Amino acid sequence: MKEFAPPPPRADGRVNLVGLSRDDLEAEVARAGLERFRARQLWHWIYHRGATDFAVMSTLAKGVRETLANLYVIDRPTAVKDLKSEDGTRKWLARMPDGQEIETVHIPEEDRGTLCVSSQVGCTLTCRFCHTGTQRLVRNLDATEIVGQVMLARDHLDEWPAPPDGRMLSNIVMMGMGEPLFNYANVAKALKIVMDGEGIAISKRRITLSTSGVVPMMKQCGAELGVNLAVSLHAVNDELRDRIVPLNRKYPIKELMQACRDYPGLSNARRITFEYVMLKGVNDSLADARELVRLLRGVPAKINLIPFNYWPGAPFECSTDEQITKFADFVNNAGYASPVRTPRGRDILAACGQLKSESTKPTAQARIAALEAHKALQAEYAAQVAEKEAGLAATGTL
Ligand code: SAH
Ligand code: SF4
């Protein structure tokens, strides 16, 4: 895997103001020889009004606007593709100045509109069911590029300034490409800008960060940002999770669950969402459901069952509707809300786990190897399930 450095400065030497913290913006304003209060005016124009050109900033004198335009730009990534699903989901392929590309997805619902934001180009992790995990090129996005995705979406949704109620873009999930807690500093900087009440103003209650389980960063995330946490669990024993979410080898389930219990600000009103992708014959038995309920005991939790979204070459199939319903019923009866996530934007490869900006076809050899590995995994799993279910039946639990 090749790692890339963050993008180089612009050729014309001008600095992009998007993604600077308030302190950094004040420092830039001082560098330009302007009064400190100009930073606040700029903040309003950039993040409340969505200005991309200093010329429209009518509260600034002409000379000030010219000084700013000589030194700075207000840029977003370029939307090189704008795809619309038949269900209204929209996906933008966003190109950064160094040519790297990421995807950002908008999911409109009746009472809200959610933007699924990427934190990295590709992902250094290799969860077996995730398309992003097969992408070769990886680099962290900087705060400019993370905030830039929100601004790009607002541009396309024509929401500057956004109405306080009934916004098309009301919620954010850090569930796009990449592992946000492997790029925490940039994600934190970006989310603080997004949450700022004098700008984009999306509250922490409307932001959810999803992690595959980067245990050492979870506490800081909760304490510093206070956003909702989603944890990609997907398996209830280390043996399987080691294989399908390889980060588990570093931070096994027991440590992960302890970090969840320690997540700051948890209560019954503010629960952790456990994501669980439904993989046919791999993790979808009732014995798994039962173990899931046992694992979550004592953690304020919701369970989000995600039907597996297929992508070309994927080594899994989605569980049957019947099995998903059985699984969901079991978990519901145990007292956990466990909605099944309706896949959105599958026709434009915009659903969970389908994002991948670089189109490479798996070789025939890689496909065969993946299929063999999958078959072996399924056979082994079937044997384990039979054994567990026989045991449970004997004790009258199932
Ligand atoms: N890297 C972070 C966030 C991005 S993925 C994480 O892993 O949590 C967002 C969610 O989609 C995760 O729960 C992820 O496991 C899930 N996902 C990945 N591939 C999927 C697929 N093909 N079908 C359904 N969900 C998938
Ligand atoms: Fe990375 Fe998340 Fe995909 Fe795993 S599921 S490969 S952590 S983006």
Side-chain angles (χ1 to χ4, degrees):
M1 184 179 339
K2 193 156 182 200
E3 296 249 6
F4 281 75
R10 287 170 59 95
D12 65 8
R14 290 191 294 170
V15 172
N16 188 1
L17 293 182
V18 172
L20 298 188
S21 66
R22 278 190 184 260
D23 286 351
D24 291 347
L25 190 60
E26 279 189 11
E28 282 299 340
V29 161
R31 183 169 79 92
L34 300 171
E35 309 90 323
R36 210 165 147 202
F37 72 92
R38 299 287 181 204
R40 195 156 179 202
Q41 289 178 316
L42 273 171
W43 191 273
H44 176 85
W45 280 106
I46 297 172
Y47 296 118
H48 183 70
R49 306 288 289 267
T52 52
D53 188 346
F54 297 100
V56 304
M57 300 186 178
S58 53
T59 52
L60 275 63
K62 193 153 176 275
V64 174
R65 285 184 249 156
E66 281 169 6
T67 306
L68 289 167
N70 284 333
L71 292 170
Y72 305 113
V73 291
I74 310 167
D75 259 358
R76 302 93 162 79
T78 314
V80 288
K81 273 191 206 160
D82 178 355
L83 303 175
K84 204 158 187 180
S85 156
E86 53 193 27
D87 68 18
T89 302
R90 216 158 149 185
K91 178 169 94 168
W92 296 284
L93 179 66
R95 183 173 295 158
M96 267 79 61
D98 66 348
Q100 295 293 321
E101 292 170 347
I102 42 123
E103 296 184 323
T104 310
V105 177
H106 179 253
I107 307 136
E109 285 171 277
E110 237 167 61
D111 58 339
R112 69 180 71 182
T114 304
L115 192 71
C116 181
V117 173
S118 293
S119 56
Q120 298 181 308
V121 174
C123 185
T124 49
L125 297 171
T126 51
C127 303
R128 294 287 172 261
F129 42 80
C130 175
H131 205 196
T132 312
T134 67
Q135 189 166 324
R136 230 167 20 90
L137 306 182
V138 179
R139 78 160 166 81
N140 280 337
L141 297 181
D142 63 16
T144 302
E145 295 164 330
I146 298 170
V147 179
Q149 294 172 64
V150 181
M151 304 187 74
L152 180 153
R154 277 253 161 101
D155 291 347
H156 282 79
L157 298 168
D158 200 11
E159 281 213 319
W160 297 114
D165 298 313
R167 294 175 176 186
M168 295 274 285
L169 200 177
S170 60
N171 292 50
I172 288 187
V173 290
M174 294 302 304
M175 292 188 187
M177 300 163 69
E179 169 48 58
L181 294 188
F182 273 170
N183 185 17
Y184 180 73
N186 288 313
V187 168
K189 192 172 175 193
L191 289 182
K192 284 179 190 167
I193 294 171
V194 167
M195 291 191 271
D196 188 295
E198 289 179 21
I200 297 171
I202 297 180
S203 105
K204 63 184 179 184
R205 282 177 203 83
R206 291 179 172 272
I207 300 178
T208 301
L209 182 147
S210 175
T211 180
S212 56
V214 185
V215 164
M217 294 311 298
M218 285 165 57
K219 199 167 193 169
Q220 188 178 352
C221 171
E224 192 178 349
L225 302 175
V227 295
N228 303 310
L229 188 71
V231 170
S232 297
L233 191 61
H234 307 317
V236 290
N237 60 68
D238 284 327
E239 211 194 338
L240 178 62
R241 198 164 188 271
D242 276 355
R243 270 186 280 175
I244 64 175
V245 183
L247 185 65
N248 195 68
R249 296 178 201 156
K250 200 156 179 199
Y251 308 116
I253 293 177
K254 199 164 170 226
E255 287 178 32
L256 177 60
M257 293 313 299
Q258 191 53 46
C260 289
R261 285 190 191 89
D262 295 342
Y263 192 70
L266 272 197
S267 70
N268 278 339
R270 204 158 156 258
R271 296 162 188 259
I272 293 184
T273 302
F274 287 88
E275 296 161 284
Y276 197 93
V277 61
M278 299 299 293
L279 303 171
K280 184 177 180 179
V282 174
N283 66 354
D284 62 350
S285 76
L286 288 186
D288 290 288
R290 185 174 168 277
E291 184 59 17
L292 178 61
V293 168
R294 199 191 62 78
L295 260 185
L296 298 186
R297 206 167 286 153
V299 186
K302 303 184 256 205
I303 298 165
N304 201 184
L305 299 177
I306 317 177
F308 170 64
N309 293 307
Y310 185 79
W311 37 270
F316 298 106
E317 284 170 68
C318 182
S319 307
T320 60
D321 288 349
E322 196 195 346
Q323 191 60 24
I324 295 178
T325 308
K326 272 195 201 161
F327 196 104
D329 286 349
F330 187 97
V331 180
N332 271 317
N333 288 339
Y336 288 97
S338 55
V340 178
R341 193 183 287 178
T342 315
R344 299 287 304 264
R346 268 180 173 171
D347 54 337
I348 54 167
L349 284 184
C352 303
Q354 292 187 316
L355 304 184
K356 182 172 190 283
S357 59
E358 178 208 26
S359 50
T360 51
K361 266 195 187 156
T363 61
Q365 207 184 4
R367 272 203 308 270
I368 292 167
L371 207 65
E372 292 297 320
H374 172 55
K375 272 193 204 149
L377 193 62
Q378 261 195 336
E380 200 181 306
Y381 176 80
Q384 277 175 19
V385 168
E387 197 181 305
K388 271 192 281 179
E389 285 185 346
L392 291 172
T395 60
T397 316
L398 275 185

